[in-house]
Structures are given as C-alpha cells and as structure tokens.
Amino acid sequence: MKTYNLNQISSIINGTLIGNGNEIIDQIFFDSRMIVNPAHGIFFAFQGNQKDGHLYLQDAYQRGIRNFVVEKALINFPNANFIEVENPLLALQNWAKIHRKQFHFPVIGITGSNGKTIVKEWLNQLLWKKFSIVRSPKSYNSQFGAALSILQMEEKNDLGIFEAGISMPNEMQNLEEIIQPTIGVLTKIGEAHLENFENQDELIQEKLKLFSHVDKLVFNIENEKVHQVILENPHLAKIDKYTYGYSNSASVQIKQIQSNQTNTQISILHNQEEFTYSIPFIDDASIKNSLICLTSLISLNIDFKQLKNEFNQLLPIEMRLEIKEAINHSILINDTFNSDLNSLKIGLNVLNQQPRDKKSLVLTDILQSNLSDEDLYQQAADLVNPYHFDEIVLIGEKISQFKHLFESYVRSFNSTEEFLEQFKHQHVDNEAILLKGARPFKLEKISNELETRSNDSVLEINLQHLIENINVYRSLLKPTTKLMCMVKANSYGTGSFEVANTLQNNGVDFLGVAIADEGKELREAGITIPIIVMNPEQSSYSTLIDYQLEPEIYSLRVLKLFIQKLQEKQISSPYPIHLKMETGMNRLGFHENDFEELIAILKDNSHVYVRSIFTHLATADMPEEEDYARHQLNRFDNSYEAITTALKIKPIKHALNSPGIVAYGEHQYDMVRLGIGMYGYSEYTDFMEKYLKPVVRFKTVISQISEIEKGETVSYGRRFTAERHTKIATLPVGYADGIRRSLGYGKGKVGINGHLATITGTICMDMMMVDVTDIPCKEGDEVTIFGHSPTLADVTEWLGTIPYEVLTSVSQRIKRVYYKE
C-alpha cells in the first residue's frame, strides 16, 4: 500500500495525534493474531458485536505494534503513538475515501447476490497481462473489507476491481463513497440476505446505490425487474448501459449455448458480428458469469476477440484454504488455486495460527503479475521472511533464481516432479506445511503425498461458517457474557483439534470435552485456553491435573476423591472446579440435600476453588415445555444463591445450551455453552434458516452407473425392483461409514448436480445405490450425503433422530477436510 505518516493519517481522519507524527505507516492491522511484521503497521481497534478491539491493544503492543487508532489512548504504552477518534471503523473508511480520490484510472465496482468474487477473479485472469490491477483480496467486500481493499491502490495501478457486499438496508451508500466506481457490474440478484429486506425490490434498490455515479453499467437485460428499476433511476437511465441476454436489444446477444461433459461453447452477437468462445465449465452460473465478464470487457473498450484463448483457460475459483491431516502428526494447508501476493499473505496468516513449532512453506512461481521479476519476488520474500520458516521449498524456474532473497533454509526445484523425486516421508514430522502455488504446478501431487489418507468420501468442515455462526450467537449475548464451546465427542464428529484451534483463535473463553483424554489430546496439540471436562472419571484425575484440565464436580463422592488426588500430587495452589447442580434433568448433579455437606467441605478449603456453578436444561429445545425450563432455572437460581452466599464467593454462573441461548436469553447469566448451534443446526427452525449456515458437508462420488430393466432388482435381499428402465449409481460409502441402513429402501436421498436422488435397496457395509434415472450425471460426479441439499436437518428427520447422532456416526475412516473461505 502507499505509505503515509501519522500526521497525514491523523489529518485525514480528523483524529487527535498523541506521539510522533513522522512515523511511516505501510500496513494496517485489525486482528492482533495476524501481526507478524509490525515495524510500520498501525492497529485499528474496531468495536464488534461481542469483541472490542481495545481489549487487544496490549496483545498488539506485545507483538510489536507501536501505532494505534483508538477511541482513547493508553498512557502505559512506552514509545507508542495514538490517534484518538470517535469511531475507528469510520476513521478507516474516511481514510479510504480520501485515498480513493487520488486515483483516476477505471474502477469496476461489482455487486449482486451471487458471483461477485468469481467475476472479479475472472476479470483479473482475463486482463492481468493488459493492466496493473488492484482488486479486493478474496471476498473483502464488507464495510471494513472494502476500505482495506481501496487502501491497496497505488500509482503503479491502472485498473481497480472491487466487490461490494451488503446484508442490511442503508449499507451501500457508504460502500459507494469508499469504492467510487466508474464502471458498475451487477451480477445475479438472488435470495441471499433477502430476509433483512421487505422484498426483492428493496434489495435491488439498495444494490443499485453502488452505481450512483458510474459512467457505465453492466447487467443482465433479461432480469425485467432490475431493468425497469434502472430505467426509472434518473442517473442510471442516461448513462451507457452494456447488457447481455437473448434479447435483440442486448449489447451481447446470446445466440447459442452448447455444453458437453467438460466445457461449454457460447455464441454471441455484438455490433452485428458473431463471436464464439469456450469456457471449461458446464454449469449455468459459470456461463452467466463468463457473459458478465465478456460484457465488462466491452465496457472497457477491450477487443474481447483477442482473449478467446484466455476464456478457454479460465480457472475455477476456490476461495478457500483447505486444512488437512498430514503424515507424521503434521498439518497441511492446501492453497493451490493461485499465488498472487494478496493470497500469499492470507495463506501465511492461516499458517501462523497453527500451533506447531515447526513450519514449512512450498511456494511456486507467482503468476498473474506484471511486476518485474525482481520486484515481484522481493515483495514475496518481504512477506515470507518475518515468519521464520524451518524450511522453504521454491518450485519454478523464475522463483528459483531469487532463492537468495528468502532468509530461511531454502531448497529450490524447477518443477514439482523434480521435488517429488527426492521427497522422503520421514523428513516430515509434527509440522505445519503451507502449499501455495499456481495451478500449472500441480501441487496437488505433493498434497497427495502428504495427506494421511486419500479417498473419494470426505467430511468437509467450513471453518468460516463455524465462525459466522458463533458470531450470530454472540450477537444475542451481552458483551460481558462468556462463551464456552463444546468440542466433546471429537467435536461432534467433525475433528476436535482444528475446530478447537479455530475457537481458540476466535476468542472463546472455555472449551468443553466429555472425558479427560479428549482434553489431553487438545493440550498436546497446542490448545491453551481453559478446558472443562464434563464427565471426569476417577481413573483420569491424574491426567486432569497433569494437563491443567478443569473437572465438572457433580457429587460429594467425586469432590472428595478429587481433593484426595490433589493432596496426593501435592498441588499447593487451589485448583479450579465446576459444580453441577441437579435441577430437573435427573442425570448428574448436586441435590439440595447435598448442600450442607458440600458447603462444609468447600469452606476454607485450600485445595480447590469454585470457578463456576452450572446446570443443564432438559427441555430448552422444546417450546411446549417452557414451564419446565423456567422451573429448572428458578431452582438453579436458588441453588446458586444458597451456595455462593454461604461461601461468600461469586463464581461464573451458567445454564444455557444452544437452544437455550435462543429461547431464554434473559437467563444467559455470566456464560453460555454453545454446542450444535455453531455447526448450523437449531431446533428453532426459523432462527436456523434465517441466521445459521451449514458447517458440515459429507460428500462422495459416483463410482459406477449401471442400467437395469423393469423387473430387475438391486442389492442384498432384492428389496428394490425396477418398475421401468432404470439408471442406478453406486456410491463408495455404506453403513461402516456412518450411513444408517434405515435410510435405504427409498427413505433417504442424496444430492447430485442440484437434484435429489433416492437411495435404492439395502445399504451395504461399504456401498449404497441411488436411482439417477432422471438426473443428468456421470461417473465421478460429486454426491452430497448431507450438507446444503439434503441438509443435516433433512437426514435427521428421515431417521427420526437428532443431529448429534448423525454427525457423531460418521466413521473416522472418512477423511476430514477443513477450509476457510
């Protein structure tokens, strides 16, 4: 980014500068965990729904930051500089607005419900040889993401491409003032975020505010509602409009679209001249997005006919970093879509969050940059060097020439194949490895060598959706309410470490596990935040103490035994415990007739201290049982008061689980316990459908497609008989993988290419069959067992069970893959 000094920044954002105004700034931080190279960085203390950036000033200072934008300066930070403002987010936005006004090259502003990031990235793929492009990193399109993106604009650039995303009314005007687009691009308008608007008309009006001052506008002429609103808008009605569609009046008129199994050929008419191009995709969304890109090229006065080959080589956009288990207790971060500098920085940040002492990087030639090689790889080295890798592997003829710029132990190879020829598995041990490279280098070959197991069936865990769901629940809480997240039973079957690490990195206060061994594994993997063991067994007390795990204490017997173990191990400091009250679940917990002896044991006890007192609601997920839930809460209030008054203590008080947070928020007390809700499921379906996102997706592929005639049967027991000529797809998963046999016989369904296929006949140990007679598909196509369609809720309903059982039933032989968007 362009450098500023603190005097300039303070003047731009109307702040009060305390300190040295001559300090140079060339990096912006808003998350203290992401601080690696702080020398010329500035930290903005944003206020969030639940997290106040001012709480992390000390952490940022300890990590080396000396420049801050805050609401109030801290006097106990030696040699630090502060800019005081009323609102740090507004200050950042105002800085971006002023910065944007310094540049006069074309700026494309993209909005819509779907396709924004894909269109942005495809335009970059098509145009990077012709322009020095600055664009939004990943999907940075929010109120602060857009500002950060704009501040990356430099004099060397001559084209900007930025996204603008909204979820609420009255957000777009501010984004328009930040981006100040000269060319507007409107992608598909769908149902995303519609719940926050009165109707789709209001959503369209809000989206179009981004184009209040553009000179040109690109959109689909066939969306009649959008077209009509544009024609009625005083500004948009008179500017140049570039449209696509089948209409004769479209700037780009679609004449014919033909798809085969791997690509699509699109014929269009523009200025009475026909043109045909191909893209390596067959889905409708990709076809429409390619047409948006082609029409955008025309708005830029680009001869799109010269880019026919580039269209044919468009790459799929994988806006995610996959995190996988690797050989020899290692972690693999797979980010092999591209290797531009922005995505390299993001990949390095994710790697830095992995609690492994040993870290390695595999980096290829960086494509899609028109910097000189010297400048490009110097900038890459400047990003990489602060991370202090144990080893860096450079792959590619160009980057290998600049290995001297990288400060860690470096090996270089001209090709992936050359690296694999000398690769030895035993050299990989308990480390975090980032694969960062462009598609032509086929780093997936290295990934295949490093992964612990490889098969076609995968349980995907979307860590970004997990974070967003947690933030939804946080928005229901008071700022002072602590958050405990349950990761018992291998994080409900999703894999405990990566989920726990994500929770730790996102500031949860406690983790909850079922048994001590689960907590031990998390500690050994690098999890440091408090962990409560909900079902501590007597045989595990030593493990609890050795790994600083905090037990739930639910009876006098357990309390006495635990104190005895503390005495045996000569623990001198009081050890934290958590008292469980029995209020109506009738499972575990202290009863009222235990209180007298409980208080007597704890009074003046030097071996333990009560960190929290809690109970568990039996019917929080049942609206019809509200009276019973409130009865429990009333009993809990009385129990807590009796114990804390007698002991003269005020420990953390908590009772609510995921459904309880939704239904009984007034009883959130000092902490809540979030479990299934963070995975996107809630018994309160209106809340789930409006606010939560699916986190887990169980997917596989079609192994084989067979055709049978009327009267033929399928699978064991011949429990399915074809009533017509039928196509049967065999999938490589069965009841040993966690697919319940009762889903067979036509009861359950799977998702294939946007359709639901019925499970046919008896489910086998390692295979299942589905009817695909009316579904366009081929062998190797992806299949969703549960995820978006069908959903986890769908499968739960078909089975007549609960989502916990479905998730925890997925076999450990199914590979878990974690990713961040």
Side-chain angles (χ1 to χ4, degrees):
M1 61 174 284
K2 177 182 175 180
T3 59
Y4 287 81
N5 64 39
L6 289 180
N7 281 323
Q8 293 171 315
I9 296 172
S10 179
S11 175
I12 290 171
I13 64 179
N14 294 318
T16 300
L17 175 64
I18 302 171
N20 179 11
N22 294 320
E23 283 290 323
I24 297 298
I25 301 300
D26 61 12
Q27 281 197 91
I28 298 169
F29 297 100
F30 56 91
D31 186 333
S32 61
R33 297 163 301 178
M34 302 299 184
I35 297 169
V36 176
N37 188 18
H40 299 293
I42 189 167
F43 183 86
F44 278 74
F46 294 146
Q47 290 270 16
N49 286 335
Q50 281 291 308
K51 294 298 180 181
D52 181 353
H54 295 81
L55 299 175
Y56 300 94
L57 295 179
Q58 181 72 45
D59 188 31
Y61 183 81
Q62 290 176 347
R63 291 171 182 259
I65 290 291
R66 294 295 179 267
N67 307 296
F68 301 86
V69 176
V70 295
E71 293 179 6
K72 185 170 179 59
L74 301 182
I75 60 174
N76 59 335
F77 281 13
N79 303 314
N81 307 301
F82 292 90
I83 300 177
E84 289 185 346
V85 295
E86 289 186 9
N87 185 317
L89 175 58
L90 290 179
L92 178 73
Q93 292 172 334
N94 289 334
W95 182 9
K97 292 173 187 178
I98 297 298
H99 181 78
R100 167 67 183 90
K101 292 183 184 297
Q102 300 175 41
F103 304 94
H104 304 288
F105 52 76
V107 170
I108 299 174
I110 306 173
T111 194
S113 302
N114 307 101
K116 297 184 291 293
T117 301
I118 292 173
V119 169
K120 177 198 69 186
E121 292 297 324
W122 279 3
L123 284 173
N124 181 67
Q125 289 182 32
L126 292 166
L127 294 173
W128 70 272
K129 293 179 182 178
K130 295 180 177 293
F131 294 94
S132 173
I133 300 172
V134 55
R135 69 192 195 281
S136 309
K138 297 286 183 178
S139 298
Y140 272 35
N141 57 30
S142 65
Q143 293 291 320
F144 81 89
L148 290 171
S149 300
I150 288 295
L151 284 166
Q152 304 306 310
M153 296 176 76
E154 299 183 46
E155 294 294 341
K156 66 182 181 183
N157 302 127
D158 52 14
L159 177 65
I161 311 175
F162 301 102
E163 298 178 47
I166 58 166
S167 57
M168 301 287 291
N170 304 315
E171 289 185 319
M172 190 61 88
Q173 180 178 341
N174 197 43
L175 292 179
E176 192 278 335
E177 293 172 359
I178 294 170
I179 299 172
Q180 302 166 38
T182 58
I183 299 174
V185 173
L186 184 65
T187 65
K188 178 182 177 181
I189 297 291
E191 302 298 318
H193 306 302
L194 190 57
E195 69 273 6
N196 297 322
F197 294 85
E198 290 186 7
N199 50 48
Q200 194 175 59
D201 290 344
E202 185 183 29
L203 175 64
I204 292 170
Q205 292 282 4
E206 183 69 21
K207 296 279 188 185
L208 292 178
K209 289 179 183 177
L210 180 63
F211 311 134
S212 297
H213 299 93
V214 298
D215 303 317
K216 303 172 182 179
L217 180 61
V218 175
F219 65 98
N220 182 355
I221 199 171
E222 291 176 341
N223 189 324
E224 295 180 2
K225 189 175 290 188
V226 169
H227 194 194
Q228 186 61 37
V229 173
I230 289 172
L231 293 177
E232 293 171 355
N233 183 290
H235 172 69
L236 299 180
K238 63 184 180 182
I239 65 171
D240 293 335
K241 287 173 278 294
Y242 297 81
T243 60
Y244 68 93
Y246 287 95
S247 169
N248 291 333
S249 58
S251 309
V252 174
Q253 183 185 0
I254 304 169
K255 302 299 291 184
Q256 189 177 43
I257 297 176
Q258 291 182 311
S259 297
N260 56 32
Q261 291 188 350
T262 59
N263 59 61
T264 301
Q265 193 172 73
I266 304 166
S267 297
I268 61 100
L269 182 68
H270 172 65
N271 283 346
Q272 305 303 313
E273 185 177 353
E274 287 199 13
F275 174 71
T276 299
Y277 68 99
S278 294
I279 58 172
F281 309 96
I282 60 173
D283 61 290
D284 183 66
S286 294
I287 294 168
K288 294 290 178 58
N289 289 331
S290 77
L291 286 161
I292 294 173
C293 289
L294 188 143
T295 310
S296 300
L297 298 180
I298 294 173
S299 75
L300 284 165
N301 300 315
I302 300 294
D303 185 356
F304 58 86
K305 294 185 291 296
Q306 295 182 358
L307 299 176
K308 185 173 183 175
N309 189 54
E310 279 77 1
F311 273 100
N312 194 43
Q313 295 178 357
L314 285 173
L315 297 172
I317 308 301
E318 296 180 2
M319 300 310 297
R320 66 191 205 179
L321 292 86
E322 292 186 337
I323 305 172
K324 306 177 182 180
E325 295 178 359
I327 57 176
N328 303 331
H329 310 290
S330 295
I331 297 170
L332 175 65
I333 302 171
N334 193 354
D335 189 18
T336 56
F337 166 65
N338 61 33
S339 58
D340 62 84
L341 293 173
N342 274 331
S343 66
L344 173 59
K345 185 175 182 180
I346 293 170
L348 291 169
N349 282 332
V350 173
L351 176 65
N352 194 49
Q353 293 181 42
Q354 305 305 313
R356 289 288 196 278
D357 292 333
K358 187 177 179 182
K359 292 184 171 69
S360 300
L361 169 67
V362 178
L363 180 63
T364 72
D365 282 354
I366 298 175
L367 306 182
Q368 297 186 359
S369 172
N370 52 17
L371 293 172
S372 69
D373 288 346
E374 290 77 7
D375 287 344
L376 176 62
Y377 293 111
Q378 182 63 64
Q379 290 186 37
D382 290 343
L383 288 175
V384 169
N385 288 336
Y387 289 86
H388 307 296
F389 286 100
D390 291 85
E391 180 179 13
I392 296 174
V393 174
L394 303 178
I395 297 179
E397 294 181 1
K398 287 189 176 180
I399 197 170
S400 295
Q401 297 174 26
F402 297 92
K403 62 182 295 185
H404 61 279
L405 298 176
F406 296 86
E407 295 175 356
S408 303
Y409 170 62
V410 179
R411 293 187 294 155
S412 62
F413 304 88
N414 287 332
S415 67
T416 300
E417 289 73 18
E418 184 181 329
F419 167 76
L420 288 172
E421 286 176 3
Q422 60 75 55
F423 174 74
K424 290 181 173 59
H425 289 84
Q426 60 266 33
H427 291 167
V428 177
D429 181 43
N430 197 30
E431 58 187 292
I433 305 162
L434 172 62
L435 296 184
K436 192 76 191 78
R439 281 289 174 82
F441 288 91
K442 299 181 180 179
L443 292 188
E444 62 271 16
K445 293 181 179 180
I446 300 177
S447 178
N448 292 337
E449 289 289 333
L450 291 170
E451 291 179 42
T452 52
R453 52 186 180 267
S454 180
N455 53 47
D456 292 328
S457 302
V458 171
L459 194 71
E460 289 186 339
I461 295 91
N462 187 328
L463 297 176
Q464 185 62 37
H465 283 184
L466 181 81
I467 294 167
E468 291 175 17
N469 289 340
I470 290 170
N471 288 336
V472 167
Y473 281 95
R474 275 178 165 155
S475 71
L476 304 178
L477 305 177
K478 296 176 292 187
T480 55
T481 303
K482 297 181 184 299
L483 182 62
M484 174 179 173
C485 289
M486 307 304 298
V487 293
K488 61 183 180 178
N490 199 30
S491 291
Y492 295 56
T494 63
S496 57
F497 165 69
E498 280 301 340
V499 171
N501 190 47
T502 300
L503 298 173
Q504 176 171 268
N505 286 331
N506 282 273
V508 306
D509 300 284
F510 287 84
L511 296 177
V513 298
I515 59 176
D517 282 346
E518 291 180 333
K520 174 185 174 181
E521 290 178 4
L522 293 178
R523 286 282 186 253
E524 290 177 338
I527 301 301
T528 59
I529 62 175
I531 299 174
I532 301 177
V533 180
M534 310 304 286
N535 300 303
E537 299 169 327
Q538 182 178 340
S539 60
S540 70
Y541 290 168
S542 289
T543 300
L544 278 166
I545 297 166
D546 292 344
Y547 287 89
Q548 296 181 301
L549 308 173
E550 303 180 13
E552 169 190 316
I553 302 295
Y554 52 82
S555 72
L556 296 169
R557 179 186 67 87
V558 169
L559 177 59
K560 293 173 182 177
L561 287 171
F562 189 69
I563 291 175
Q564 180 182 328
K565 179 58 68 174
L566 290 169
Q567 291 172 328
E568 291 174 4
K569 295 180 77 69
Q570 299 181 339
I571 303 299
S572 57
S573 299
Y575 201 92
I577 61 173
H578 301 262
L579 300 182
K580 173 76 171 290
M581 298 293 110
E582 171 48 57
T583 60
M585 176 74 95
N586 291 314
R587 192 171 61 174
L588 294 174
F590 287 98
H591 295 78
E592 291 177 15
N593 56 12
D594 296 322
F595 288 1
E596 183 177 350
E597 186 175 355
L598 172 65
I599 292 167
I601 293 173
L602 292 174
K603 188 168 286 187
D604 301 322
N605 188 292
S606 62
H607 298 289
V608 296
Y609 75 93
V610 180
R611 190 163 188 175
S612 84
I613 299 177
F614 70 102
T615 194
H616 193 68
L617 301 182
T619 61
D621 57 347
M622 303 170 67
E624 68 275 16
E625 291 283 356
E626 179 181 349
D627 288 345
Y628 192 77
R630 295 196 180 280
H631 164 70
Q632 279 193 265
L633 289 164
N634 184 59
R635 287 188 64 185
F636 177 54
D637 287 338
N638 293 335
S639 298
Y640 181 89
E641 185 64 26
I643 293 171
T644 57
T645 300
L647 295 175
K648 298 179 181 179
I649 58 174
K650 271 294 179 186
I652 297 168
K653 181 180 183 183
H654 53 112
L656 300 185
N657 57 3
S658 296
I661 297 169
V662 178
Y664 304 102
E666 70 275 19
H667 293 281
Q668 61 189 259
Y669 301 128
D670 305 309
M671 184 164 74
V672 296
R673 304 186 301 271
L674 184 57
I676 195 67
M678 64 185 175
Y679 297 100
Y681 181 88
S682 175
E683 292 83 354
Y684 294 93
T685 54
D686 288 346
F687 173 80
M688 176 175 66
E689 292 171 358
K690 187 172 184 179
Y691 297 112
L692 301 182
K693 295 181 178 180
V695 169
V696 184
R697 182 183 178 214
F698 187 1
K699 70 177 188 179
T700 187
V701 299
I702 296 175
S703 297
Q704 185 178 22
I705 295 177
S706 304
E707 299 191 24
I708 62 175
E709 300 301 328
K710 180 179 180 180
E712 291 192 81
T713 60
V714 171
S715 195
Y716 292 114
R718 305 183 67 206
R719 293 182 175 91
F720 172 81
T721 302
E723 297 179 353
R724 58 172 177 164
H725 179 84
T726 303
K727 291 168 61 179
I728 298 294
T730 299
L731 315 180
V733 287
Y735 59 76
D737 301 295
I739 311 294
R740 290 267 292 276
R741 289 180 83 245
S742 55
L743 280 175
Y745 323 122
K747 188 173 185 179
K749 294 175 170 45
V750 299
I752 302 176
N753 294 334
H755 302 269
L756 289 176
T758 301
I759 300 173
T760 300
T762 303
I763 293 175
C764 310
M765 180 181 287
D766 309 301
M767 286 177 281
M768 60 192 287
M769 283 61 69
V770 298
D771 186 343
V772 294
T773 307
D774 300 315
I775 297 175
C777 59
K778 63 184 184 300
E779 294 176 359
D781 277 2
E782 193 170 85
V783 179
T784 297
I785 307 299
F786 62 77
H788 177 69
S789 177
T791 65
L792 177 61
D794 291 332
V795 177
T796 298
E797 182 178 349
W798 295 333
L799 288 171
T801 185
I802 56 176
Y804 305 84
E805 183 177 0
V806 176
L807 286 175
T808 56
S809 295
V810 179
S811 168
Q812 287 303 306
R813 75 179 188 176
I814 299 298
K815 180 171 63 175
R816 271 65 172 169
V817 175
Y818 309 87
Y819 63 94
K820 289 187 176 180
E821 295 179 339

